[in-house]
Amino acid sequence: MEPREVSTAASTATDTGLRADAQRNRERIIDAAREVFAEQGLDASLNEVARRAGVGVATLFRRFPTREDLITATFADPMAEYAALIETALADPDPWRGFCGYVRSVCSMQAGDRGFTDVLTQSFPTAKEFEARRDHAFRRFTELITRAKQAGGLRDEFVAEDLPMLLMANAGVVAATAGAAPETSPRLVEYLIQAFSAPAIGPLPDPPTPRRMYRALRRL
């Protein structure tokens, strides 16, 4: 009886140690992926992620069998933050102020993370909950647009596809000025917010269809 009890205790300690080690590896990989994706986008080398995490590539793939698994785990917290931003904006009693705050916050997230724009535009077929949260946030954004127009702050021509247009413009500015002139992106965003405000100065060309804008974002 005694030998079996000792063996069981030793086995439990070993299992606990292995689980703790596996959890530490997982956390190191996610931290490293967050850095690499923020710098290089979602197509970054997973070998570089493993190197920064201090683990072998085999260990990375044991924890995250596919790139999609790693991406959705890495961006789970930013996606939750993104979803919370729209709820904060909708809760503002001044819809136009809520709209402006939302645009500023999303662009600020983008400026600090190159992979963030990719996450908002790419498809993740096996991550249903992840995609559902993102799609719900976009639907809520269309509600914010309607409220901001009804309040008289947002020009009538603004459509939901104008936000991806803004993000593409901001991505270009961020890529060109990050580290050298970081104040450029916030200045661009403020210029664009003023352009979105009512009353409109003049008519605009028709916006792209959602399908065309999605294709443009994927190409970017």
Side-chain angles (χ1 to χ4, degrees), residues 10 13-14 32 38-39 42 46 48 57 60 73 91 99 110 118 125 127 156 178 180 189 194-195 212:
T14 301
E39 295 169 6
L42 300 188
L46 297 189
E48 176 62 13
V57 175
L60 185 152
F99 174 90
Q110 180 192 32
D118 296 341
D156 289 337
V189 173
Q194 291 183 29
R212 287 182 175 178

Side-chain angles (χ1 to χ4, degrees), residues 34-186:
R34 189 171 290 122
E35 290 180 2
V36 173
F37 290 149
E39 295 169 6
Q40 304 175 23
L42 300 188
D43 293 329
S45 167
L46 297 189
N47 288 335
E48 176 62 13
V49 174
R51 186 189 69 79
R52 293 199 196 183
V55 303
V57 175
T59 298
L60 185 152
F61 281 108
R62 277 198 300 273
R63 302 279 78 80
F64 303 99
T66 69
R67 180 181 290 267
E68 181 174 310
D69 292 331
L70 178 58
I71 290 171
T72 54
T74 300
F75 285 92
D77 288 345
M79 184 57 71
E81 180 183 351
Y82 170 69
L85 285 174
I86 190 62
E87 300 304 326
T88 299
L90 285 165
D92 194 313
D94 181 340
W96 171 241
R97 183 174 61 198
F99 174 90
C100 295
Y102 176 76
V103 169
R104 292 184 185 111
S105 296
V106 172
C107 288
S108 177
M109 288 182 69
Q110 180 192 32
D113 190 337
R114 182 175 171 183
F116 179 67
T117 303
D118 296 341
V119 166
L120 293 183
T121 60
Q122 291 191 15
S123 177
F124 302 96
T126 65
K128 301 299 184 184
E129 183 176 347
F130 187 85
E131 287 215 321
R133 174 172 284 180
R134 180 190 60 190
D135 294 345
H136 176 73
F138 188 76
R139 288 193 298 272
R140 295 285 278 165
F141 177 60
T142 63
E143 295 179 32
L144 181 62
I145 290 173
T146 300
R147 294 186 190 183
K149 288 179 180 179
Q150 291 173 344
L154 181 62
R155 62 188 295 166
D156 289 337
E157 296 94 335
F158 188 91
V159 294
E161 287 70 40
D162 287 332
L163 179 62
M165 179 182 68
L166 186 159
L167 292 177
M168 284 191 287
N170 192 46
V173 168
V174 169
T177 63
E183 65 276 11
T184 309
S185 170

